[in-house]
Amino acid sequence: MKRLISEFVDLFYPRLCIICQRALMTNERHLCLHCLQQMPRTNYHTKADNPIEQLFWGKVEIESAYSYFFFLPEGNFRHFIHAIKYGGETDAARYMGARYAAELQAAGKFSDIDYIVPVPLHPKRLRQRGYNQSEKIACGISVILQKPVRTDILYRKYATETQTHKSVYERWKNMQGIFDTKNTDIPLYPHFLLVDDVITTGATLIACAQQLLQRYKTARISIVTLAVAP
Ligand SMILES: [Zn+2]
């Protein structure tokens, strides 16, 4: 009966694939099977010293870091990131976070994570947008890993302007002192999983990791993002 109703609803209000805009089948969620299969996956969790981890070398100590797919300027998958960032597709963000976490978990990754920490938005930006897309991704990961999302540990002190047209050095300089941490009930030797939507130079995540390590000196940090921009 439930299936019949959802097929009926789909007929009149078709749910569309975020990427190709085709009507979804009843059993598809947010993306059609075709687009899911075409996803430009990195498969970095199968490689030692993968390029995401290398972004942090010599800057901050990271246990492991993975990104689900490539954010290619000519690829359709950038529509997905745009939709979760600006288009209010929060369920899709959770769904993708959960999918990736399930794949990573099946590969034996992140078995000892204690807390999931999304990269925070500045409160002003959060009010404008209504949600933090990284927090939604983190919520999906949390369902699979069965570990709490903590938004009370790390916060953003300053809103940053768009970094798109800045050089790597300028981005890096610009991120210094942007984030800070709060003193919480975290016990010794925590393993934090930092979550962001897209990683580009790594400057944002480096700044977050440095702040966490300054406050929680015995912490270990891992990183996961949905996409990586080359
Ligand atoms: Zn599609």
Side-chain angles (χ1 to χ4, degrees):
M1 188 65 187
K2 205 173 149 195
R3 188 185 161 89
L4 206 68
I5 292 169
S6 72
E7 277 175 6
F8 183 76
V9 169
D10 282 357
L11 198 64
F12 290 96
Y13 305 99
R15 299 168 305 128
L16 303 179
C17 171
I18 289 173
I19 291 170
C20 71
Q21 300 296 312
R22 274 193 294 235
L24 292 176
M25 311 284 276
T26 311
N27 58 347
E28 291 171 338
R29 291 183 61 196
H30 310 293
L31 300 178
C32 71
L33 196 61
H34 175 79
C35 286
L36 262 183
Q37 282 166 348
Q38 297 294 311
M39 183 162 84
R41 286 159 184 267
T42 67
N43 288 318
Y44 281 162
H45 62 285
T46 61
K47 298 177 178 88
D49 295 339
N50 76 63
I52 309 295
E53 289 167 353
Q54 290 182 29
L55 283 174
F56 301 97
W57 286 1
K59 291 169 185 140
V60 65
E61 202 174 317
I62 295 296
E63 182 112 339
S64 57
Y66 310 109
S67 296
Y68 206 2
F69 56 84
F70 294 107
F71 184 91
L72 304 168
E74 71 279 13
N76 285 334
F77 251 80
R78 71 197 156 83
H79 296 323
F80 184 81
I81 292 295
H82 199 264
I84 66 160
K85 214 167 176 153
Y86 308 108
E89 296 277 2
T90 54
D91 281 349
R94 264 193 296 268
Y95 171 71
M96 237 20 184
R99 273 194 82 95
Y100 194 28
E103 286 185 27
L104 291 169
Q105 194 183 50
K109 310 294 182 189
F110 296 156
S111 57
D112 63 347
I113 294 292
D114 298 305
Y115 305 101
I116 304 168
V117 180
V119 170
L121 288 180
H122 187 266
K124 201 174 108 193
R125 182 70 57 82
L126 187 61
R127 273 198 302 278
Q128 285 168 350
R129 201 176 288 177
Y131 64 95
N132 174 358
Q133 72 280 4
S134 298
E135 188 181 331
K136 302 300 172 188
I137 299 164
C139 288
I141 295 171
S142 167
V143 170
I144 301 297
L145 297 188
Q146 295 285 299
K147 297 294 172 188
V149 175
R150 294 286 298 252
T151 55
D152 59 335
I153 295 174
L154 187 66
Y155 69 99
R156 192 184 283 250
K157 281 196 289 185
Y158 306 104
T160 42
E161 47 187 310
T162 176
Q163 301 251 59
T164 316
H165 302 292
K166 292 196 165 73
S167 71
V168 172
Y169 177 73
E170 282 172 330
R171 287 187 192 210
W172 164 262
K173 257 331 260 169
N174 209 29
M175 292 316 292
Q176 298 299 306
I178 292 285
F179 298 98
D180 208 348
T181 51
K182 288 177 185 160
N183 205 3
T184 55
D185 56 345
I186 303 290
L188 287 175
Y189 305 104
H191 189 177
F192 294 115
L193 180 62
L194 268 171
V195 179
D196 207 356
D197 52 354
V198 184
I199 187 167
T200 307
T201 60
T204 304
L205 285 159
I206 289 167
C208 288
Q210 283 172 335
Q211 285 303 320
L212 283 175
L213 287 170
Q214 211 169 65
R215 168 86 64 175
Y216 304 100
K217 300 225 174 350
T218 60
R220 287 179 298 141
I221 294 176
S222 288
I223 283 168
V224 71
T225 75
L226 279 191
V228 51

